[in-house]
Short mmCIF file of all heavy atoms in Angstrom, two decimals:
data_model
loop_
_atom_site.label_atom_id
_atom_site.label_comp_id
_atom_site.label_asym_id
_atom_site.label_seq_id
_atom_site.Cartn_x
_atom_site.Cartn_y
_atom_site.Cartn_z
N GLY A 162 -83.25 -12.98 -23.72
CA GLY A 162 -82.86 -13.73 -22.54
C GLY A 162 -83.98 -14.50 -21.88
O GLY A 162 -83.80 -15.09 -20.81
N GLY A 163 -85.15 -14.47 -22.48
CA GLY A 163 -86.28 -15.17 -21.91
C GLY A 163 -87.35 -15.37 -22.96
O GLY A 163 -87.23 -14.87 -24.08
N THR A 164 -88.40 -16.06 -22.61
CA THR A 164 -89.52 -16.26 -23.52
C THR A 164 -90.55 -15.17 -23.26
O THR A 164 -91.23 -15.18 -22.23
CB THR A 164 -90.15 -17.65 -23.31
OG1 THR A 164 -89.13 -18.65 -23.50
CG2 THR A 164 -91.28 -17.87 -24.28
N PHE A 165 -90.64 -14.23 -24.18
CA PHE A 165 -91.49 -13.05 -23.95
C PHE A 165 -92.93 -13.42 -23.66
O PHE A 165 -93.62 -12.76 -22.90
CB PHE A 165 -91.39 -12.13 -25.16
CG PHE A 165 -92.11 -10.82 -24.99
CD1 PHE A 165 -91.95 -10.06 -23.84
CD2 PHE A 165 -92.95 -10.35 -25.99
CE1 PHE A 165 -92.63 -8.87 -23.68
CE2 PHE A 165 -93.62 -9.15 -25.84
CZ PHE A 165 -93.45 -8.41 -24.69
N GLY A 166 -93.38 -14.50 -24.26
CA GLY A 166 -94.75 -14.92 -24.03
C GLY A 166 -95.04 -15.33 -22.60
O GLY A 166 -96.21 -15.45 -22.21
N ASP A 167 -94.03 -15.52 -21.79
CA ASP A 167 -94.20 -15.87 -20.38
C ASP A 167 -94.38 -14.65 -19.49
O ASP A 167 -94.61 -14.79 -18.29
CB ASP A 167 -92.97 -16.64 -19.88
CG ASP A 167 -92.88 -18.03 -20.48
OD1 ASP A 167 -93.89 -18.52 -21.02
OD2 ASP A 167 -91.78 -18.63 -20.41
N TYR A 168 -94.28 -13.45 -20.09
CA TYR A 168 -94.24 -12.24 -19.28
C TYR A 168 -95.44 -11.32 -19.50
O TYR A 168 -95.81 -11.03 -20.64
CB TYR A 168 -92.99 -11.42 -19.62
CG TYR A 168 -91.69 -12.16 -19.41
CD1 TYR A 168 -90.80 -12.34 -20.47
CD2 TYR A 168 -91.36 -12.67 -18.17
CE1 TYR A 168 -89.60 -13.01 -20.29
CE2 TYR A 168 -90.17 -13.33 -17.98
CZ TYR A 168 -89.29 -13.51 -19.03
OH TYR A 168 -88.12 -14.17 -18.84
N ALA A 169 -96.01 -10.86 -18.41
CA ALA A 169 -96.88 -9.69 -18.49
C ALA A 169 -95.97 -8.48 -18.68
O ALA A 169 -94.83 -8.49 -18.21
CB ALA A 169 -97.69 -9.54 -17.21
N ALA A 170 -96.46 -7.44 -19.34
CA ALA A 170 -95.57 -6.32 -19.67
C ALA A 170 -96.30 -4.99 -19.54
O ALA A 170 -97.54 -4.94 -19.50
CB ALA A 170 -95.02 -6.48 -21.08
N GLY A 171 -95.51 -3.93 -19.50
CA GLY A 171 -96.11 -2.62 -19.38
C GLY A 171 -95.16 -1.50 -19.78
O GLY A 171 -93.98 -1.74 -20.03
N TRP A 172 -95.71 -0.32 -19.88
CA TRP A 172 -94.96 0.90 -20.14
C TRP A 172 -95.18 1.88 -19.00
O TRP A 172 -96.30 2.05 -18.54
CB TRP A 172 -95.40 1.55 -21.45
CG TRP A 172 -95.00 0.82 -22.69
CD1 TRP A 172 -95.75 -0.07 -23.41
CD2 TRP A 172 -93.75 0.94 -23.38
NE1 TRP A 172 -95.04 -0.53 -24.49
CE2 TRP A 172 -93.81 0.08 -24.50
CE3 TRP A 172 -92.58 1.67 -23.17
CZ2 TRP A 172 -92.75 -0.05 -25.40
CZ3 TRP A 172 -91.53 1.54 -24.06
CH2 TRP A 172 -91.63 0.69 -25.16
N PHE A 173 -94.11 2.55 -18.62
CA PHE A 173 -94.15 3.59 -17.61
C PHE A 173 -93.36 4.77 -18.13
O PHE A 173 -92.55 4.65 -19.03
CB PHE A 173 -93.55 3.09 -16.29
CG PHE A 173 -94.35 2.01 -15.64
CD1 PHE A 173 -94.30 0.70 -16.10
CD2 PHE A 173 -95.17 2.29 -14.56
CE1 PHE A 173 -95.05 -0.31 -15.51
CE2 PHE A 173 -95.93 1.29 -13.95
CZ PHE A 173 -95.86 0.00 -14.43
N ARG A 174 -93.59 5.94 -17.54
CA ARG A 174 -92.81 7.10 -17.95
C ARG A 174 -92.43 7.92 -16.72
O ARG A 174 -93.08 7.84 -15.67
CB ARG A 174 -93.59 7.95 -18.95
CG ARG A 174 -94.86 8.61 -18.41
CD ARG A 174 -95.63 9.27 -19.55
NE ARG A 174 -96.80 9.98 -19.06
CZ ARG A 174 -97.72 10.54 -19.85
NH1 ARG A 174 -97.60 10.44 -21.19
NH2 ARG A 174 -98.75 11.17 -19.34
N GLN A 175 -91.37 8.69 -16.90
CA GLN A 175 -90.88 9.48 -15.78
C GLN A 175 -90.22 10.74 -16.29
O GLN A 175 -89.49 10.72 -17.28
CB GLN A 175 -89.89 8.67 -14.94
CG GLN A 175 -89.52 9.30 -13.63
CD GLN A 175 -88.88 8.33 -12.66
OE1 GLN A 175 -88.36 7.28 -13.06
NE2 GLN A 175 -88.91 8.66 -11.38
N THR A 176 -90.47 11.84 -15.59
CA THR A 176 -89.79 13.10 -15.86
C THR A 176 -88.96 13.46 -14.63
O THR A 176 -89.28 13.02 -13.52
CB THR A 176 -90.79 14.22 -16.17
OG1 THR A 176 -91.74 14.30 -15.09
CG2 THR A 176 -91.54 13.94 -17.46
N PRO A 177 -87.90 14.24 -14.80
CA PRO A 177 -87.04 14.59 -13.66
C PRO A 177 -87.84 15.22 -12.52
O PRO A 177 -88.64 16.13 -12.73
CB PRO A 177 -86.06 15.59 -14.27
CG PRO A 177 -86.00 15.24 -15.71
CD PRO A 177 -87.39 14.80 -16.06
N GLY A 178 -87.65 14.70 -11.34
CA GLY A 178 -88.31 15.25 -10.17
C GLY A 178 -89.70 14.70 -9.92
O GLY A 178 -90.30 15.00 -8.88
N ASP A 179 -90.21 13.91 -10.86
CA ASP A 179 -91.54 13.34 -10.69
C ASP A 179 -91.47 11.85 -10.43
O ASP A 179 -90.48 11.19 -10.76
CB ASP A 179 -92.39 13.58 -11.94
CG ASP A 179 -92.76 15.05 -12.09
OD1 ASP A 179 -92.76 15.77 -11.06
OD2 ASP A 179 -93.05 15.48 -13.22
N GLU A 180 -92.54 11.32 -9.89
CA GLU A 180 -92.62 9.89 -9.69
C GLU A 180 -92.89 9.18 -11.01
O GLU A 180 -93.42 9.77 -11.94
CB GLU A 180 -93.73 9.55 -8.69
CG GLU A 180 -93.45 10.04 -7.28
CD GLU A 180 -94.49 9.56 -6.29
OE1 GLU A 180 -95.45 8.90 -6.72
OE2 GLU A 180 -94.34 9.83 -5.10
N ARG A 181 -92.53 7.92 -11.05
CA ARG A 181 -92.82 7.11 -12.21
C ARG A 181 -94.34 6.99 -12.40
O ARG A 181 -95.07 6.78 -11.44
CB ARG A 181 -92.21 5.73 -12.03
CG ARG A 181 -92.38 4.78 -13.18
CD ARG A 181 -91.54 3.54 -12.93
NE ARG A 181 -91.87 2.92 -11.68
CZ ARG A 181 -91.05 2.09 -11.02
NH1 ARG A 181 -89.85 1.82 -11.52
NH2 ARG A 181 -91.42 1.53 -9.89
N GLU A 182 -94.78 7.14 -13.62
CA GLU A 182 -96.21 7.13 -13.93
C GLU A 182 -96.56 5.92 -14.78
O GLU A 182 -95.89 5.63 -15.78
CB GLU A 182 -96.61 8.40 -14.67
CG GLU A 182 -98.07 8.48 -15.08
CD GLU A 182 -98.39 9.67 -15.96
OE1 GLU A 182 -97.46 10.40 -16.35
OE2 GLU A 182 -99.59 9.86 -16.28
N PHE A 183 -97.60 5.23 -14.40
CA PHE A 183 -98.10 4.11 -15.19
C PHE A 183 -98.70 4.62 -16.50
O PHE A 183 -99.50 5.56 -16.50
CB PHE A 183 -99.15 3.34 -14.40
CG PHE A 183 -99.96 2.38 -15.23
CD1 PHE A 183 -99.38 1.25 -15.77
CD2 PHE A 183 -101.30 2.63 -15.49
CE1 PHE A 183 -100.11 0.38 -16.55
CE2 PHE A 183 -102.05 1.77 -16.25
CZ PHE A 183 -101.46 0.64 -16.79
N VAL A 184 -98.33 3.99 -17.60
CA VAL A 184 -98.86 4.37 -18.91
C VAL A 184 -99.80 3.31 -19.46
O VAL A 184 -100.94 3.59 -19.81
CB VAL A 184 -97.71 4.62 -19.91
CG1 VAL A 184 -98.26 4.89 -21.31
CG2 VAL A 184 -96.84 5.78 -19.44
N ALA A 185 -99.32 2.07 -19.54
CA ALA A 185 -100.14 1.01 -20.13
C ALA A 185 -99.60 -0.34 -19.70
O ALA A 185 -98.41 -0.48 -19.40
CB ALA A 185 -100.15 1.11 -21.66
N ALA A 186 -100.48 -1.34 -19.69
CA ALA A 186 -100.10 -2.70 -19.33
C ALA A 186 -100.84 -3.68 -20.22
O ALA A 186 -101.93 -3.39 -20.71
CB ALA A 186 -100.40 -2.97 -17.86
N ILE A 187 -100.24 -4.85 -20.37
CA ILE A 187 -100.83 -5.86 -21.23
C ILE A 187 -100.55 -7.24 -20.66
O ILE A 187 -99.49 -7.50 -20.08
CB ILE A 187 -100.25 -5.72 -22.66
CG1 ILE A 187 -101.02 -6.59 -23.66
CG2 ILE A 187 -98.75 -6.02 -22.69
CD1 ILE A 187 -100.71 -6.24 -25.11
N SER A 188 -101.52 -8.14 -20.82
CA SER A 188 -101.36 -9.49 -20.33
C SER A 188 -100.46 -10.30 -21.25
O SER A 188 -100.10 -9.87 -22.34
CB SER A 188 -102.74 -10.16 -20.22
OG SER A 188 -103.35 -10.20 -21.50
N ARG A 189 -100.15 -11.50 -20.83
CA ARG A 189 -99.21 -12.35 -21.60
C ARG A 189 -99.69 -12.62 -23.01
O ARG A 189 -98.91 -12.60 -23.96
CB ARG A 189 -99.00 -13.67 -20.88
CG ARG A 189 -98.06 -13.60 -19.71
CD ARG A 189 -98.00 -14.94 -18.99
NE ARG A 189 -97.71 -16.03 -19.93
CZ ARG A 189 -97.77 -17.30 -19.61
NH1 ARG A 189 -98.15 -17.67 -18.39
NH2 ARG A 189 -97.48 -18.23 -20.50
N ILE A 190 -100.97 -12.88 -23.17
CA ILE A 190 -101.45 -13.22 -24.50
C ILE A 190 -101.95 -12.00 -25.25
O ILE A 190 -102.41 -12.11 -26.38
CB ILE A 190 -102.57 -14.29 -24.44
CG1 ILE A 190 -103.75 -13.77 -23.62
CG2 ILE A 190 -102.01 -15.60 -23.90
CD1 ILE A 190 -104.96 -14.71 -23.69
N GLY A 191 -101.88 -10.84 -24.62
CA GLY A 191 -102.16 -9.61 -25.32
C GLY A 191 -103.61 -9.20 -25.41
O GLY A 191 -103.91 -8.13 -25.94
N GLY A 192 -104.50 -10.01 -24.94
CA GLY A 192 -105.90 -9.67 -25.11
C GLY A 192 -106.45 -8.74 -24.05
O GLY A 192 -107.53 -8.19 -24.21
N ILE A 193 -105.73 -8.55 -22.98
CA ILE A 193 -106.21 -7.74 -21.86
C ILE A 193 -105.23 -6.60 -21.64
O ILE A 193 -104.03 -6.83 -21.46
CB ILE A 193 -106.34 -8.59 -20.59
CG1 ILE A 193 -107.30 -9.76 -20.85
CG2 ILE A 193 -106.85 -7.75 -19.42
CD1 ILE A 193 -107.39 -10.74 -19.72
N THR A 194 -105.76 -5.38 -21.65
CA THR A 194 -104.90 -4.20 -21.52
C THR A 194 -105.52 -3.21 -20.53
O THR A 194 -106.72 -3.26 -20.23
CB THR A 194 -104.72 -3.50 -22.87
OG1 THR A 194 -106.00 -3.11 -23.39
CG2 THR A 194 -104.04 -4.42 -23.88
N ASP A 195 -104.71 -2.29 -20.09
CA ASP A 195 -105.18 -1.20 -19.23
C ASP A 195 -104.29 0.01 -19.49
O ASP A 195 -103.14 -0.14 -19.91
CB ASP A 195 -105.13 -1.60 -17.76
CG ASP A 195 -105.92 -0.65 -16.89
OD1 ASP A 195 -106.80 0.06 -17.43
OD2 ASP A 195 -105.67 -0.58 -15.67
N TYR A 196 -104.85 1.21 -19.22
CA TYR A 196 -104.14 2.43 -19.52
C TYR A 196 -104.26 3.44 -18.39
O TYR A 196 -105.28 3.47 -17.67
CB TYR A 196 -104.68 3.07 -20.81
CG TYR A 196 -104.50 2.21 -22.02
CD1 TYR A 196 -105.47 1.28 -22.40
CD2 TYR A 196 -103.34 2.31 -22.79
CE1 TYR A 196 -105.28 0.47 -23.51
CE2 TYR A 196 -103.16 1.50 -23.90
CZ TYR A 196 -104.13 0.58 -24.25
OH TYR A 196 -103.94 -0.22 -25.34
N GLY A 197 -103.25 4.29 -18.26
CA GLY A 197 -103.36 5.39 -17.35
C GLY A 197 -104.39 6.39 -17.85
O GLY A 197 -104.59 6.51 -19.06
N ASN A 198 -105.02 7.10 -16.96
CA ASN A 198 -106.09 8.01 -17.34
C ASN A 198 -105.63 9.09 -18.32
O ASN A 198 -106.40 9.50 -19.20
CB ASN A 198 -106.68 8.67 -16.10
CG ASN A 198 -107.49 7.72 -15.26
OD1 ASN A 198 -108.04 6.74 -15.77
ND2 ASN A 198 -107.57 7.97 -13.97
N SER A 199 -104.38 9.51 -18.19
CA SER A 199 -103.90 10.61 -19.02
C SER A 199 -103.65 10.19 -20.47
O SER A 199 -103.48 11.06 -21.34
CB SER A 199 -102.62 11.20 -18.43
OG SER A 199 -101.60 10.23 -18.37
N VAL A 200 -103.61 8.88 -20.75
CA VAL A 200 -103.30 8.43 -22.11
C VAL A 200 -104.44 7.63 -22.73
O VAL A 200 -104.36 7.26 -23.91
CB VAL A 200 -102.01 7.60 -22.15
CG1 VAL A 200 -100.86 8.37 -21.52
CG2 VAL A 200 -102.19 6.24 -21.49
N LYS A 201 -105.49 7.37 -21.99
CA LYS A 201 -106.60 6.58 -22.52
C LYS A 201 -107.18 7.23 -23.77
O LYS A 201 -107.40 8.44 -23.81
CB LYS A 201 -107.70 6.43 -21.46
CG LYS A 201 -107.43 5.33 -20.45
CD LYS A 201 -108.57 5.22 -19.46
CE LYS A 201 -108.27 4.13 -18.43
NZ LYS A 201 -109.32 4.03 -17.40
N GLY A 202 -107.39 6.41 -24.77
CA GLY A 202 -107.94 6.91 -26.02
C GLY A 202 -106.90 7.44 -26.98
O GLY A 202 -107.20 7.70 -28.15
N ARG A 203 -105.67 7.63 -26.51
CA ARG A 203 -104.59 8.15 -27.38
C ARG A 203 -103.47 7.14 -27.59
O ARG A 203 -102.85 7.12 -28.65
CB ARG A 203 -104.00 9.42 -26.77
CG ARG A 203 -105.01 10.55 -26.61
CD ARG A 203 -104.31 11.84 -26.21
NE ARG A 203 -103.64 11.74 -24.91
CZ ARG A 203 -102.35 11.95 -24.73
NH1 ARG A 203 -101.56 12.29 -25.75
NH2 ARG A 203 -101.81 11.84 -23.53
N PHE A 204 -103.20 6.32 -26.59
CA PHE A 204 -102.10 5.36 -26.66
C PHE A 204 -102.67 3.93 -26.78
O PHE A 204 -103.74 3.63 -26.23
CB PHE A 204 -101.24 5.42 -25.41
CG PHE A 204 -100.40 6.68 -25.28
CD1 PHE A 204 -100.60 7.78 -26.09
CD2 PHE A 204 -99.40 6.74 -24.33
CE1 PHE A 204 -99.83 8.93 -25.96
CE2 PHE A 204 -98.61 7.86 -24.18
CZ PHE A 204 -98.83 8.96 -25.00
N THR A 205 -101.92 3.08 -27.46
CA THR A 205 -102.31 1.68 -27.59
C THR A 205 -101.09 0.80 -27.34
O THR A 205 -100.05 0.96 -27.99
CB THR A 205 -102.86 1.39 -28.99
OG1 THR A 205 -103.97 2.24 -29.26
CG2 THR A 205 -103.31 -0.06 -29.09
N ILE A 206 -101.24 -0.13 -26.40
CA ILE A 206 -100.17 -1.09 -26.13
C ILE A 206 -100.49 -2.38 -26.88
O ILE A 206 -101.65 -2.80 -26.98
CB ILE A 206 -100.03 -1.34 -24.61
CG1 ILE A 206 -98.80 -2.20 -24.33
CG2 ILE A 206 -101.30 -1.94 -24.02
CD1 ILE A 206 -98.49 -2.32 -22.83
N SER A 207 -99.44 -3.00 -27.41
CA SER A 207 -99.62 -4.27 -28.10
C SER A 207 -98.33 -5.06 -27.99
O SER A 207 -97.30 -4.53 -27.55
CB SER A 207 -100.00 -4.05 -29.57
OG SER A 207 -98.97 -3.35 -30.26
N ARG A 208 -98.38 -6.31 -28.43
CA ARG A 208 -97.20 -7.15 -28.33
C ARG A 208 -97.18 -8.16 -29.46
O ARG A 208 -98.24 -8.57 -29.96
CB ARG A 208 -97.13 -7.84 -26.98
CG ARG A 208 -98.27 -8.80 -26.72
CD ARG A 208 -98.29 -9.25 -25.26
NE ARG A 208 -97.09 -10.02 -24.92
CZ ARG A 208 -96.67 -10.21 -23.67
NH1 ARG A 208 -97.33 -9.70 -22.66
NH2 ARG A 208 -95.59 -10.93 -23.44
#
């Protein structure tokens, strides 16, 4: 429904009773990323 390349994107996670937690984010062109502390070094975001 849109041009994905126009969007910054990210992943979040949530467990029942907990707040939504940031996991990873990526810029539109994919070269810039960031990760939550609990997943750094283990998870990789890409597009």
Side-chain angles (χ1 to χ4, degrees):
T164 303
F165 185 47
D167 290 343
Y168 302 122
W172 289 96
F173 294 77
R174 65 188 184 187
Q175 190 164 21
T176 54
D179 289 337
E180 293 187 357
R181 182 171 56 201
E182 178 187 5
F183 166 69
V184 175
I187 190 167
S188 60
R189 282 175 53 189
I190 60 172
I193 302 174
T194 59
D195 194 21
Y196 297 89
N198 289 334
S199 61
V200 306
K201 278 181 181 177
R203 299 189 298 122
F204 289 12
T205 302
I206 188 172
S207 62
R208 64 191 295 160

